[in-house]
Amino acid sequence: MTQKDTIILGIESSCDDTSAAVLKNDTILSNLIAGQSVHQDYGGVVPELASRAHLKNIVPVVDAAIKKAGITINDIDAIAFTKGPGLLGSLVVGTSFAKTLALALDVPLIDVNHMYGHVLAHFINDHGKAKPDFPFLCLTVSGGHTQIVLVRDHLNMEIIGTTLDDAAGEAFDKAAKNLGFKYPGGPLIDKYAQDGDPDRFTFAKPKVPNYDFSFSGLKTSILYFLEKETRSNSNFIEENRNDLCASVQKTIVTILMEQLERVSEDMGIKEIAIAGGVSANSSLRARLKELGLSKGWNTYIPRSEYCTDNAAMIAITGRFMYEAKIFTDQSITAQARVPFTHSGS
Ligand code: KG4
Ligand code: ZN
């Protein structure tokens, strides 16, 4: 007898992307994302504008994801949504929507920790691409988080190192802001760095105990450096844009990789993955592959669509929780900060 297919609807609304995905077993049928350009001129996400945009987007995005997947709403076996961490006003929109739809369809409701989602994006079936073996280390780098996670099993993870101040994505975005780019500037630094010299400028790297990270010193050192240089040459940034981007990028990637290397050596783990929005960075991806070759690591890099915030990663996490029968109920509420467990409870 063949097992019945399981269809999970995933919903993600933790920051400034409204996303819905339909997952059939471990294969994505649709993964749609409505971004929010409204924040570009503000240098960061404006929470009130984000929640209003989620409200506008959530119904059309879910509707389009269901249509694109070629299913009907009655085919959905469970609804998985991001409970936290994230911006409360944004999370409330996805949470309320998921609760209402689960009630209307009378299907199980699954509350997912966004950070588990980033890690478990590696288990989406991507044309047979290899998946990490347990235990593995995952460097999860996004706009809000920087973590080295020891992944013992799909639903059993532990944070080994984290940032003491800014996240890696924030370091990219703040450096980008100082260079005059709109929010989020991380992808633009990546773009201009392709034609720049990464060794042209050097920025101090922090000394941080254990396996943690710190990026606030780098932010200040870039700011002071640019202020000093533009005092004597007001066109300094324009004239050196590509080299500045390449040098900033190299510094951030080196800080991340040096810690990851230390953890790998100390724990004797050679299964190494990256996840989160910053793992879309081309230099980080290339450096991980290089290190993999020189250190004998097996490396895992999700395709970019599954690195930045997306509902596919929430759906796959929901699938593991569905199999383990970990459900929530209508009393669930969104939470801006959650403990590091699969459902953030
Ligand atoms: O995971 P994500 O989409 O949202 C959060 O959960 O925060 O990560 C967004 C972050 C932003 O800081 C953005 O600038 C950064 O990921 N990012 C990049 C690149 N693509 C996204 N940073 C550097 N290079 C990229 N290619
Ligand atoms: Zn994220």
Side-chain angles (χ1 to χ4, degrees):
M1 199 180 82
T2 51
Q3 254 192 325
K4 182 191 168 294
D5 290 326
T6 306
I7 304 234
I8 311 256
L9 172 69
I11 293 171
E12 153 63 30
S13 72
S14 66
C15 191
D16 60 340
D17 292 308
T18 319
S19 180
V22 175
L23 179 81
K24 180 178 171 183
N25 304 325
D26 64 352
T27 301
I28 291 295
L29 301 181
S30 63
N31 178 38
L32 299 186
I33 300 163
Q36 302 180 358
S37 55
V38 67
H39 309 286
Q40 274 182 2
D41 294 328
Y42 294 92
V45 176
V46 185
E48 182 54 28
L49 296 179
S51 51
R52 275 190 234 166
H54 282 302
L55 265 179
K56 207 172 81 192
N57 293 337
I58 188 102
V59 173
V61 169
V62 172
D63 186 47
I66 288 171
K67 286 196 176 112
K68 183 158 184 226
I71 62 158
T72 70
I73 204 160
N74 293 317
D75 295 325
I76 295 169
D77 292 303
I79 299 175
F81 68 97
T82 304
K83 168 185 163 181
L87 299 171
L88 189 61
S90 293
L91 291 162
V92 163
V93 177
T95 303
S96 314
F97 183 89
K99 283 168 70 173
T100 311
L101 192 58
L103 189 65
L105 297 177
D106 193 23
V107 294
L109 183 62
I110 305 170
D111 53 335
V112 171
N113 183 325
H114 181 85
M115 301 314 293
Y116 266 60
H118 275 303
V119 174
L120 295 177
H122 285 282
F123 294 91
I124 294 168
N125 178 5
D126 194 357
H127 301 96
K129 202 169 138 185
K131 296 171 184 176
D133 282 334
F134 299 112
F136 68 93
L137 294 172
C138 186
L139 173 73
T140 313
V141 271
S142 71
H145 294 84
T146 301
Q147 300 171 339
I148 297 179
V149 181
L150 168 63
V151 188
R152 296 193 187 90
D153 204 345
H154 298 115
L155 302 180
N156 181 355
M157 307 187 196
E158 185 186 337
I159 298 173
I160 302 295
T162 189
T163 182
L164 304 175
D165 40 58
D166 291 348
E170 263 178 294
F172 269 107
D173 295 337
K174 286 178 178 171
K177 193 176 171 196
N178 290 332
L179 293 170
F181 304 154
K182 287 189 172 181
Y183 178 85
L188 289 173
I189 292 200
D190 191 353
K191 181 178 151 203
Y192 295 123
Q194 316 270 338
D195 301 314
D197 173 4
D199 297 315
R200 172 87 188 286
F201 305 108
T202 43
F203 300 104
K205 293 207 290 304
K207 289 194 177 55
V208 184
N210 309 319
Y211 301 130
D212 291 331
F213 300 93
S214 167
F215 289 101
S216 65
L218 175 65
K219 172 185 71 186
T220 318
S221 106
I222 295 169
L223 181 67
Y224 288 169
F225 172 75
L226 292 175
E227 277 177 3
K228 187 174 121 253
E229 295 296 331
T230 46
R231 266 198 295 274
S232 50
N233 172 10
S234 59
N235 292 327
F236 178 78
I237 293 178
E238 260 166 54
E239 288 168 9
N240 298 285
R241 186 189 61 191
N242 296 349
D243 291 347
L244 283 164
C245 287
S247 303
V248 166
Q249 178 171 274
K250 183 178 176 183
T251 311
I252 297 174
V253 169
T254 306
I255 292 170
L256 292 171
M257 282 303 159
E258 281 180 359
Q259 284 300 59
L260 188 58
E261 246 183 283
R262 281 187 56 205
V263 179
S264 162
E265 254 159 51
D266 291 357
M267 300 189 90
I269 296 178
K270 287 174 179 272
E271 291 283 302
I272 313 284
I274 54 173
V278 178
S279 64
N281 181 266
S282 56
S283 167
L284 184 68
R285 295 165 89 90
R287 186 88 189 104
L288 182 70
K289 279 189 196 147
E290 270 169 39
L291 267 176
L293 288 176
S294 68
K295 302 260 168 200
W297 292 351
N298 292 322
T299 56
Y300 303 90
I301 305 177
R303 70 159 88 174
S304 294
E305 179 189 350
Y306 301 145
C307 290
T308 45
D309 286 349
N310 66 87
M313 68 186 200
I314 302 304
I316 191 79
T317 307
R319 159 111 179 124
F320 291 117
M321 292 170 69
Y322 182 86
E323 283 171 349
K325 296 196 169 37
I326 302 170
F327 304 132
T328 186
D329 58 36
Q330 292 289 324
S331 65
I332 191 77
T333 52
Q335 255 175 265
R337 286 168 186 273
V338 295
F340 192 69
T341 60
H342 42 74
S343 55
S345 297

